[in-house]
Amino acid sequence: MLSGIFVVQGYRNFRDPGRLAVAAQPVTEKVAPLLKKAHPSFPTETETLIRVNAAVQVSAGLMLATGRLSRPAALVLAGTLVPVTVAGHPFWKNDDPTARNNNQIHAMKNLGILGGLLLAAADTGGKPGLRWRTGHRIGHSRRSVQRAVRTARREARIAVRSASTARRLPG
């Protein structure tokens, strides 16, 4: 259910990025130099970036919906939600109280969706998480080493007793 909005809106935004270009341009102008620095051949035109974001949202949304790589997909969707919220719902810039209220509601809705995506990214589907498994494996290894040390000490004591008993026996 969480992925539905990304699939639908991503599809709409991919088909018609022009309707979002004016609102997105201040954000894309700030992101473009970073993209150029990271990868010089990456396109930085506003409509192209809207389409890239939309395609990522559709594909990650479908991955989340189908349960394929859902944890990474949720993280990717969370990452795409930040610039969308900043560009699409800048309530702090609105002078009109109605527009401010409307954008503030949408920004808070996106914040709630972001929280859901972070929970989905952390969800292990009932399986122990990597942190627990690592700690459990370390504890298991530590106990194995302690057992091996106790066994080696015991065997050394037995060997010492056997050697001292063998010396006492007439030969």
Side-chain angles (χ1 to χ4, degrees), residues 28-152:
T28 59
E29 285 176 353
K30 291 178 183 174
V31 172
L34 299 171
L35 292 173
K36 282 289 185 192
K37 187 182 269 188
H39 199 282
S41 64
F42 198 85
T44 55
E45 299 81 29
T46 300
E47 287 194 18
T48 304
L49 291 175
I50 292 170
R51 278 202 164 109
V52 167
N53 191 58
V56 168
Q57 286 184 336
V58 169
S59 55
L62 290 172
M63 289 169 59
L64 182 63
T66 59
R68 296 203 182 271
L69 300 172
S70 56
R71 293 175 71 188
L75 278 177
V76 167
L77 288 172
T80 67
L81 193 57
V82 173
V84 167
T85 303
V86 171
H89 308 295
F91 63 89
W92 54 93
K93 291 181 179 178
N94 294 119
D95 293 330
D96 177 26
T98 305
R100 176 185 288 272
N101 186 46
N102 188 30
N103 278 328
Q104 194 171 28
I105 288 170
H106 284 292
M108 289 178 8
K109 170 202 55 126
N110 284 0
L111 187 61
I113 291 171
L114 178 67
L117 289 169
L118 293 177
L119 284 173
D123 181 35
T124 60
K127 299 174 189 159
L130 183 60
R131 182 176 177 191
W132 183 89
R133 288 184 296 183
T134 303
H136 184 72
R137 179 58 45 205
I138 289 170
H140 178 72
S141 298
R142 186 178 300 133
R143 287 188 301 275
S144 294
V145 168
Q146 288 170 345
R147 272 194 302 271
V149 167
R150 282 193 306 267
T151 302

